[in-house]
């Protein structure tokens, strides 16, 4: 049971490039989330999904896209990377967002846009 | 809407000192409450939780009591260690049940 895995761990992009951050969970969780964490700051929700085929915007969705074709995978796509997207990105999953169910986090992807 | 307000840091303590990190919440109903911990260079992990009013969550010597009268869920530890140096986040699920709200995080540094 690997939990939540993210790839890559580190990436440097040039302005205007695109990339996909991968996230996979093997706990059969319905809910998945993408957060960004800027230095010294808390978490900001980018997108979330309550099940395969269903996604919704969080607090800071601009510049990102997601898809959820399977229960296990929830990739985050950055189009036209900008320096403001330099951050650490965390994927998380949970069985639900109620009833005391916790979120499980991946180890993060550290992205730098130059 | 639902939210959590967390004590701002950073907090620096000497080893074996007493720790309190304040967290208050605004919510409809009585949601579960969580404390997460983030060690340097890692993702967040659950530290403890409480699922109903007056419950006490505990783990690794940390405790927090769900107090509906004061809408609080303060994190405490009687004697901190250097290995407790981390960032601590208070959290609760949204009223829609679709997502979680996190506090801004409190950075704790414990010096020997």
């Amino acid at each position: 049971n690997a939990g939540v895995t993210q790839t890559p761990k580190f990436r440097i992009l040039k302005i205007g490039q695109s990339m996909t951050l991968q996230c996979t969970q093997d706990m059969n969780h319905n809910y998945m989330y993408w957060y960004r964490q800027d230095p010294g700051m808390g978490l900001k929700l980018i997108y979330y999904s309550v099940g395969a085929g269903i996604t919704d915007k969080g607090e800071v969705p601009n510049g990102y896209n997601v898809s959820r074709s399977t229960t296990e995978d929830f990739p985050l796509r950055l189009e036209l990377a900008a320096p403001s997207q330099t951050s650490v990105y965390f994927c998380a999953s949970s069985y639900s967002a109620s009833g005391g169910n916790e979120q499980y986090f991946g180890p993060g992807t550290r992205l730098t846009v130059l | 809407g639902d939210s959590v307000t967390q004590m701002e840091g950073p907090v620096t303590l000497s080893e074996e000192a007493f720790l309190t990190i304040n967290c208050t919440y605004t919510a409809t109903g009585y949601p579960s409450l969580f404390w997460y911990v983030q060690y340097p260079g890692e993702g967040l992990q659950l530290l403890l939780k409480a699922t109903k009013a007056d419950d006490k969550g505990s783990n690794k010597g940390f405790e927090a009591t769900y107090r509906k009268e004061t809408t609080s869920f303060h994190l405490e530890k009687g004697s901190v260690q250097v290995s407790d140096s981390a960032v601590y986040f208070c959290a609760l699920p949204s009223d829609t049940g679709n997502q979680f709200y996190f506090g801004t995080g409190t950075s704790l540094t414990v010096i020997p």
Side-chain angles (χ1 to χ4, degrees):
Chain A
N1 190 337
V4 180
T5 57
Q6 291 182 241
T7 56
K9 286 187 167 55
F10 304 93
R11 183 73 185 267
I12 298 175
L13 283 182
K14 294 182 179 179
I15 294 172
Q17 288 185 320
S18 302
M19 76 165 293
T20 299
L21 282 66
Q22 302 292 344
C23 175
T24 300
Q25 53 92 7
D26 62 0
M27 297 172 281
N28 202 32
H29 285 166
N30 294 319
Y31 289 68
M32 295 188 76
Y33 313 81
W34 274 107
Y35 296 91
R36 60 176 286 172
Q37 184 180 36
D38 298 329
M41 305 291 285
L43 299 174
K44 293 186 178 179
L45 182 65
I46 304 171
Y47 272 96
Y48 67 97
S49 168
V50 301
I54 307 169
T55 62
D56 208 347
K57 297 177 181 179
E59 182 185 357
V60 290
N62 291 344
Y64 308 94
N65 279 299
V66 294
S67 60
R68 183 95 182 272
S69 57
T70 67
T71 299
E72 295 77 21
D73 300 308
F74 190 42
L76 177 72
R77 178 83 176 159
L78 277 71
E79 304 283 1
L80 298 175
S84 61
Q85 293 178 305
T86 294
S87 190
V88 180
Y89 291 84
F90 290 103
C91 180
S93 73
S94 67
Y95 180 71
S96 77
S98 63
N101 290 287
E102 66 187 88
Q103 284 190 315
Y104 293 82
F105 283 80
T109 295
R110 186 174 298 275
L111 175 67
T112 302
V113 181
L114 299 174
Chain B
D2 294 4
S3 65
V4 289
T5 300
Q6 195 173 334
M7 166 182 159
E8 292 197 12
V11 175
T12 302
L13 294 174
S14 297
E15 207 164 21
E16 299 184 0
F18 183 84
L19 168 71
T20 300
I21 300 177
N22 290 338
C23 172
T24 57
Y25 67 90
T26 301
T28 51
Y30 301 105
S32 298
L33 298 173
F34 303 83
W35 277 101
Y36 285 83
V37 59
Q38 183 181 30
Y39 298 104
E42 298 183 10
L44 281 70
Q45 55 186 275
L46 181 70
L47 179 60
L48 55 84
K49 68 180 182 183
T51 58
K52 60 183 188 295
D54 299 325
D55 263 4
K56 177 185 284 188
S58 61
N59 186 26
K60 300 182 180 181
F62 290 89
E63 292 182 340
T65 301
Y66 189 156
R67 300 197 186 281
K68 64 179 181 180
E69 300 83 4
T70 54
T71 62
S72 65
F73 192 54
H74 304 324
L75 183 68
E76 297 182 335
K77 187 174 186 182
S79 176
V80 294
Q81 306 299 312
V82 172
S83 57
D84 295 326
S85 298
V87 181
Y88 294 83
F89 293 90
C90 187
L92 84 165
S94 68
D95 56 353
T96 61
N98 286 341
Q99 56 182 290
F100 291 82
Y101 297 123
F102 286 83
T104 53
T106 300
S107 175
L108 169 67
T109 300
V110 181
I111 54 177

